[in-house]
Amino acid sequence: MKISSTRLIRSALFASLAAAMVLAAVAIGLAPPRSAPTSFERRSAAQAWADLESNRPVGHLIRLVAFDPQKEPGLAIDRLARLGPPDQLYSFVASYEEMAGYTARQALEKNGLRLREGQHVSAVIFPRRTELYPANARGLLQIIRAVEQEKGEAIGERFLDGANALSEAEAKDLQSTDVASYRVSDFRDLYPRYCELARRFNCGPAPYPASRFIGSLYHNWHPLGFSQIEPARDPCTLPVAQYCAFGDWTKMRAEFLPRFGSRAFLTKNLEIATIPGRILIDFDQPDRQIIPYIGSRSE
């Protein structure tokens, strides 16, 4: 394991989970990752799904970027400037707690992405310090509105105009960012409308200008706020009623838990060098290297 002067973890090979918990390094402002307690277990899909239902608060976040070191050297962890591409305002991140203990490949797949032969994975792990938006249909609309307000007339065609304009009740609801406001059961009556708008934004027929400033929505994204592992089919081919179906969590769990990957979130496209407590990792053998245990905030 090589640690540079910028305190970057580079190419740490973890032969087992226990070894993974020891072979980690420190970034500015965060206590050293420590050996995993004997009670530490990877968060299961069932546990993460329960967190989705309750919108359980997140302690640490993780951003994973797969790249070809020969063709895309600018995506190496020591060269990444921001969480996402420079023109983005908001980028997708995941719960670190849902990734700890899994290999970098498994973690990437839980985010609905695939690792190609020869690719490395850059990882940024950091404590939540800024506003975080669960990436369900409601959170996505909040981000779209924030982008269109920030860009103003320069954005051109606005998604939330005309037939897509929010009602007074919807606009008022979207002002709230407290934890409970993102629980689908708490905005059940508004979910069909929010989901229909999210589908229109995600599926086209043509991309709206605001999409340039938001992390890409791939076919693995579900409007309830999670990524799927190899979805059965492209959701955009589904009729609106099926795309936005939500009877209750029990039914949704039975249908989607076998393909559930992880919760999805949107946060500002932060400049990595300014993130307090960040940990930067280069996984050059992502099939074998494991997302390390860094301890809980309460330890």
Side-chain angles (χ1 to χ4, degrees):
M1 178 177 65
K2 176 182 178 182
I3 304 176
S4 74
S5 61
T6 57
R7 310 176 90 176
L8 158 70
I9 306 174
R10 181 177 295 279
S11 305
L13 174 60
F14 307 124
S16 66
L17 177 60
M21 302 313 145
V22 177
L23 294 178
V26 186
I28 300 170
L30 190 65
R34 47 193 86 176
S35 299
T38 55
S39 61
F40 175 73
E41 294 181 359
R42 300 186 304 185
R43 193 176 295 274
S44 68
Q47 291 171 319
W49 183 274
D51 293 343
L52 174 73
E53 293 187 27
S54 65
N55 190 37
R56 182 176 181 266
V58 176
H60 284 76
L61 300 164
I62 186 169
R63 169 73 173 173
L64 298 169
V65 179
F67 70 101
D68 184 316
Q70 302 301 318
K71 299 178 180 178
E72 304 165 298
L75 297 180
I77 192 62
D78 54 351
R79 296 181 63 178
L80 279 180
R82 293 183 174 274
L83 296 177
D87 57 339
Q88 278 185 7
L89 295 179
Y90 292 89
S91 302
F92 277 101
V93 292
S95 164
Y96 155 76
E97 286 82 3
E98 293 177 27
M99 303 297 151
Y102 289 91
T103 66
R105 174 186 284 275
Q106 290 171 328
L108 200 70
E109 291 173 345
K110 287 169 73 67
N111 281 267
L113 303 173
R114 290 187 177 184
L115 187 73
R116 296 194 301 272
E117 184 69 27
Q119 285 188 317
H120 290 196
V121 175
S122 293
V124 184
I125 302 170
F126 58 102
R128 174 187 174 181
R129 299 282 177 85
T130 59
E131 196 75 66
L132 185 68
Y133 299 83
N136 55 31
R138 182 177 183 273
L140 176 61
L141 291 181
Q142 289 177 315
I143 294 297
I144 294 170
R145 186 171 66 169
V147 167
E148 293 187 339
Q149 289 176 344
E150 179 172 340
K151 290 297 181 179
E153 295 182 0
I155 203 169
E157 182 184 7
R158 298 167 67 92
F159 176 73
L160 293 175
D161 276 350
N164 299 336
L166 300 170
S167 68
E168 183 177 346
E170 292 163 353
K172 182 178 180 181
D173 173 70
L174 292 180
Q175 290 177 358
S176 178
T177 58
D178 65 81
V179 171
S181 70
Y182 293 99
R183 295 172 186 149
V184 178
S185 55
D186 282 31
F187 63 92
R188 178 188 292 269
D189 293 343
L190 293 172
Y191 179 74
R193 166 67 170 165
Y194 289 167
C195 182
E196 182 180 356
L197 289 173
R199 182 185 185 278
R200 197 171 299 161
F201 184 81
N202 183 26
C203 300
Y208 286 86
S211 65
R212 302 198 311 268
F213 306 102
I214 303 171
S216 298
L217 292 169
Y218 298 109
H219 71 285
N220 59 69
W221 176 75
H222 194 283
L224 286 176
F226 63 90
S227 297
Q228 304 175 69
I229 301 173
E230 298 185 354
R233 58 187 293 189
D234 184 347
C236 287
T237 64
L238 301 175
V240 174
Q242 188 175 350
Y243 184 97
C244 294
F246 178 73
D248 58 53
W249 280 114
T250 301
K251 292 180 180 178
M252 301 304 289
R253 184 182 190 277
E255 179 178 356
F256 288 101
L257 185 59
R259 300 192 300 275
F260 177 77
S262 65
R263 290 187 290 167
F265 300 89
L266 282 158
T267 191
K268 286 189 175 181
N269 186 18
L270 302 172
E271 186 179 352
I272 292 173
T274 67
I275 301 176
R278 65 194 178 277
I279 291 179
L280 312 178
I281 309 176
D282 169 35
F283 293 102
D284 62 357
Q285 298 185 49
D287 284 310
R288 302 175 61 190
Q289 296 164 331
I290 294 172
I291 308 295
Y293 175 76
I294 62 173
S296 69
R297 300 182 76 182
S298 61
E299 290 182 315

